[in-house]
Amino acid sequence: MSKDKKKKHAVSADGEANAPLTRKAYDQELKALHGELVKLQLWAKHTGAKVCVIFEGRDGAGKGGVIKAILERVSPRTFRVVALPPPTDREKSQMFIQRYVPHLPAAGEIVIFDRSWYNRAGVERVMGFCPEETAKKFLASVPFVEKAIVESGVILIKYWLEVSEEEQTRRMESRIDDPRKVWKLSPMDLESYSRWYDYSRARDEMFEASDTQWAPWFVAHSDDKKRARLNIISHLLSRIPYEEVPREKIELPKRQKSHGYQEADYARHRVPERY
């Protein structure tokens, strides 16, 4: 296969090339999945279910795109995203898991963590923000913390997005001159990029310690963004025992009569119609 053709084909986890996924096919599949996510939303509200979804992966793995695809057609009052900033001095003095616990879902909520307590097993460990001994203690204790979360009634689902070295480089380079993406290139991102194998070792140890029966890790290959989004949303739906909630037929009521009302010329300050 020529170099040009390789760029046009995704490669599956077993190394076989997939036919290109057209935008039309992607949109059709995503539309159907969005309908199921709405059913999930209504079911969670109706039953009081509590769902927590964790997304982890290297910079440029596509976590933000997957989360955006999930949220596109659902209510932010049911689907809530948690993307915590660096800890404050006060939070640094707390028990590590303490800053995350308040964000866990209550009844009828679906919480998505864009990075989570696994920062301690990843970026904090690799970048030297916590001692090695502290990271190892975290890995030893996190399975028990997650068991307590699951036993409290939370459906906990953990995803790792796996991107290749070549694709990560392509995505990072695309951010340099794109004003829409330049904010994604912090000094921390650049330093993290240079430590590929340190992150690989940290990831492997994280999987070994925290891939449990009650909270397993699910790995999604994300070089093909569209396929990764569809695969993850489909899998997420398959992990939750939701059902369609019966709803009454909706009919719009008749509008009231004007009773002589006339529109006032109140718009003194208008938005310029440039487009």
Side-chain angles (χ1 to χ4, degrees):
M1 182 180 291
S2 69
K3 185 176 180 181
D4 289 340
K5 286 190 176 181
K6 284 183 180 179
K7 291 181 180 179
K8 296 179 182 178
H9 289 74
V11 178
S12 63
D14 57 10
E16 294 184 1
N18 293 320
L21 185 64
T22 66
R23 183 72 199 191
K24 181 178 180 180
Y26 170 73
D27 287 342
Q28 287 177 340
E29 293 292 336
L30 188 58
K31 181 179 180 180
L33 292 172
H34 281 158
E36 293 301 313
L37 286 169
V38 171
K39 291 179 185 178
L40 169 61
Q41 169 183 292
L42 296 173
W43 171 83
K45 292 176 64 177
H46 179 74
T47 63
K50 298 179 288 185
V51 181
C52 180
V53 187
I54 289 175
F55 284 102
E56 295 285 347
R58 305 175 194 269
D59 291 322
K63 298 180 294 297
V66 173
I67 293 171
K68 183 178 179 182
I70 292 172
L71 300 178
E72 190 174 343
R73 298 292 181 176
V74 293
S75 169
R77 288 181 291 275
T78 301
F79 282 77
R80 180 162 51 87
V81 178
V82 178
L84 297 183
T88 64
D89 289 339
R90 181 177 182 277
E91 289 171 331
K92 289 177 182 178
S93 70
Q94 295 175 340
M95 179 182 178
F96 178 71
I97 197 69
Q98 189 172 340
R99 71 190 296 247
Y100 295 96
V101 170
H103 300 282
L104 290 173
E109 292 182 344
I110 301 169
V111 172
I112 298 174
F113 279 91
D114 184 355
R115 296 197 184 278
S116 64
W117 45 87
Y118 282 101
N119 276 341
R120 176 132 296 179
V123 62
E124 290 191 12
R125 185 181 193 185
V126 172
M127 302 302 291
F129 295 149
C130 73
E132 183 67 13
E133 181 182 357
T134 300
K136 288 186 177 297
K137 286 182 178 179
F138 166 79
L139 289 174
S141 63
V142 72
F144 302 102
V145 173
E146 292 180 348
K147 190 170 187 179
I149 292 173
V150 171
E151 289 179 347
S152 76
V154 174
I155 299 173
L156 179 60
I157 306 172
K158 304 185 301 190
Y159 289 108
W160 174 272
L161 272 64
E162 185 65 27
V163 65
S164 67
E165 289 185 74
E166 296 77 14
E167 180 61 16
Q168 187 196 41
T169 297
R170 190 193 68 77
R171 293 178 186 177
M172 298 290 274
E173 288 178 343
S174 74
R175 297 175 178 179
I176 294 175
D177 297 317
D178 190 332
R180 302 167 301 172
K181 301 177 181 179
V182 69
W183 62 273
K184 296 182 178 182
L185 280 178
S186 68
M188 181 69 63
D189 296 328
L190 297 175
E191 180 66 21
S192 297
Y193 171 81
S194 70
R195 300 193 181 193
W196 176 272
Y197 292 106
D198 288 342
Y199 271 96
S200 295
R201 295 184 184 94
R203 175 205 59 199
D204 295 346
E205 289 192 40
M206 181 185 76
F207 284 167
E208 184 176 1
S210 60
D211 185 22
T212 59
Q213 182 180 357
W214 53 88
W217 279 102
F218 296 99
V219 177
H221 291 269
S222 61
D223 279 14
D224 186 321
K225 290 182 179 180
K226 293 186 179 70
R227 278 196 168 84
R229 294 167 190 169
L230 297 178
N231 288 334
I232 291 171
I233 296 174
S234 176
H235 181 268
L236 173 63
L237 291 165
S238 75
R239 297 292 299 180
I240 304 172
Y242 72 97
E243 297 177 349
E244 187 167 5
V245 177
R247 292 185 297 149
E248 294 182 4
K249 184 178 179 180
I250 299 174
E251 291 185 3
L252 292 177
K254 292 182 179 180
R255 292 192 190 273
Q256 64 180 165
K257 295 182 178 179
S258 66
H259 297 294
Y261 173 79
Q262 294 183 350
E263 290 285 346
D265 188 16
Y266 60 86
R268 295 179 297 161
H269 306 289
R270 295 184 181 273
V271 175
E273 296 183 357
R274 296 178 178 175
Y275 303 98

